[in-house]
Amino acid sequence: MRQPLWIIVALLLVSCSTSSSTLTYATLPSTADAAAGQILFEHGTKNAQACSICHSVDGSAEVGPSLLGIATRAASQVAGQSADEYLFNSIVHPTEYVVQGYSGGIMPLNYAQELTPPQIRDLIAYLQTLR
């Protein structure tokens, strides 16, 4: 028996929203590839904008804050968050904390849906090399 199209669409929407809401830092893989993360940072994916479009790694001002030194600053940005947790939340939930002097609502909100957990982990590993 064929299901009405609206039921199929509703199930897909629930499935998509559930998968992104269950993504937490704790669910990321424990291993990562910083070189793969650098490629993601610089080039993005088909559906995820490259971070380098808005963030520099050399200290120069861009649309978003420079990420030069983020590995040493990340642990002190938000009380109670480790450096990795802060970086995860900055990628997946960019509106929860906005660096002073920058506008919220500019960073894409689709990274949790468009990047896989291993890709997010790789991106965090790359950001941790930026001292």
Side-chain angles (χ1 to χ4, degrees):
M1 174 184 247
R2 289 184 62 174
Q3 297 293 329
L5 182 59
W6 70 270
I7 291 176
I8 294 169
V9 171
L11 289 172
L12 286 172
L13 288 173
V14 168
S15 172
C16 289
S17 66
T18 302
S19 65
S20 66
S21 66
T22 59
L23 179 65
T24 65
Y25 174 73
T27 63
L28 293 180
S30 59
T31 59
D33 180 351
Q38 182 176 3
I39 292 169
L40 280 170
F41 181 90
E42 293 173 353
H43 303 287
T45 67
K46 178 182 175 187
N47 296 315
Q49 175 176 301
C51 308
S52 61
I53 291 174
C54 296
H55 298 280
S56 76
V57 295
D58 64 4
S60 61
E62 299 288 336
V63 173
S66 172
L67 298 178
L68 179 66
I70 192 63
T72 53
R73 289 191 318 270
S76 63
Q77 291 294 96
V78 176
Q81 289 184 8
S82 70
D84 280 358
E85 289 169 324
Y86 168 75
L87 294 170
F88 170 83
N89 286 320
S90 294
I91 295 165
V92 176
H93 309 290
T95 59
E96 287 184 8
Y97 175 80
V98 177
V99 173
Q100 187 174 7
Y102 290 89
S103 299
I106 295 174
M107 189 156 156
L109 301 174
N110 68 336
Y111 290 126
Q113 293 79 29
E114 300 301 336
L115 298 177
T116 65
Q119 287 175 315
I120 293 170
R121 188 69 188 107
D122 291 347
L123 191 53
I124 292 168
Y126 169 66
L127 294 172
Q128 284 286 29
T129 69
L130 302 175
R131 300 203 175 272

